[in-house]
Amino acid sequence: MTTTTVTPSTSPVLAVPPAPPADAAAYFAARLAFHTDVADVHTALTAGAADFVVVDSRSTQAWDQGHIPGAVHLPTAQIPQLAAEFLDPAVPVVVHCWGPGCDGATRAALALARLGYRVKEMLGGIEYWIREGYAVETWEGVRQLPPDPLTAPVDGGDCGC
């Protein structure tokens, strides 16, 4: 019988070892219950299969700079007062803010969850929506930039994930 000896890793990646597979599966399943990404949101919206509403939690000035077509504008600070006016509690909400460096969507998601809404946060926010080459509505009309070749497939296709 051969035994394998595991030695402590000198790599910072494995200095803390990976979780056991069952724990990892539970974590990643839970994470997917709380987050979605811009590609999946875009795919659902363009296919007419959106069984959720997109909420942009940024300021009015930010909304006017550009927002996802069909999104509901509901600034984070106004969620407690206005959510019931704009959202159906039976419809899940996907909330976003500026981008991955902003906690605005997390604060908005927390506010909505506290009000009883089923909510997911869209990872990447409007920044990655635009970087992936998806259209936004502005006060001047619809605007669409080419995908950023460092953050999205250059052929506009599926990234394969």
Side-chain angles (χ1 to χ4, degrees), residues 6-19:
V6 178
T7 58
S9 176
T10 57
S11 160
V13 173
L14 297 178
V16 174

Side-chain angles (χ1 to χ4, degrees), residues 39-40 43 134 152-161:
D40 288 344
T43 297
Y134 304 138
V154 293
D155 64 359
D158 188 349
C159 69
C161 60

Side-chain angles (χ1 to χ4, degrees), residues 47-93:
D51 43 4
F52 56 89
V53 62
V54 175
V55 169
D56 187 325
S57 66
R58 299 174 302 142
S59 69
T60 299
Q61 181 180 6
W63 167 267
D64 289 343
Q65 281 179 250
H67 56 271
I68 295 171
V72 172
H73 182 224
L74 194 54
T76 301
Q78 297 175 7
I79 287 173
Q81 297 81 23
L82 299 177
E85 183 178 334
F86 291 99
L87 303 174
D88 178 349
V91 178
V93 176

Side-chain angles (χ1 to χ4, degrees), residues 1-155:
M1 172 181 226
T2 305
T3 59
T4 304
T5 305
V6 178
T7 58
S9 176
T10 57
S11 160
V13 173
L14 297 178
V16 174
D23 293 348
Y27 168 80
F28 291 119
R31 190 171 185 276
L32 290 171
F34 297 108
H35 297 103
T36 189
D37 64 37
V38 297
D40 288 344
V41 171
H42 181 264
T43 297
L45 292 175
T46 57
D51 43 4
F52 56 89
V53 62
V54 175
V55 169
D56 187 325
S57 66
R58 299 174 302 142
S59 69
T60 299
Q61 181 180 6
W63 167 267
D64 289 343
Q65 281 179 250
H67 56 271
I68 295 171
V72 172
H73 182 224
L74 194 54
T76 301
Q78 297 175 7
I79 287 173
Q81 297 81 23
L82 299 177
E85 183 178 334
F86 291 99
L87 303 174
D88 178 349
V91 178
V93 176
V94 172
V95 66
H96 76 86
C97 198
W98 276 110
C102 176
D103 278 343
T106 304
R107 286 191 296 275
L110 175 59
L112 288 163
R114 285 179 171 162
L115 292 172
Y117 292 90
R118 293 176 298 143
V119 61
K120 286 189 173 201
E121 183 178 353
M122 185 178 78
L123 297 175
I126 194 74
E127 176 186 345
Y128 276 77
W129 182 271
I130 294 167
R131 282 179 159 221
E132 292 197 21
Y134 304 138
V136 294
E137 292 178 341
T138 72
W139 62 274
E140 297 175 310
V142 175
R143 182 172 180 198
Q144 187 167 4
L145 299 173
D148 179 337
L150 298 177
T151 62
V154 293
D155 64 359

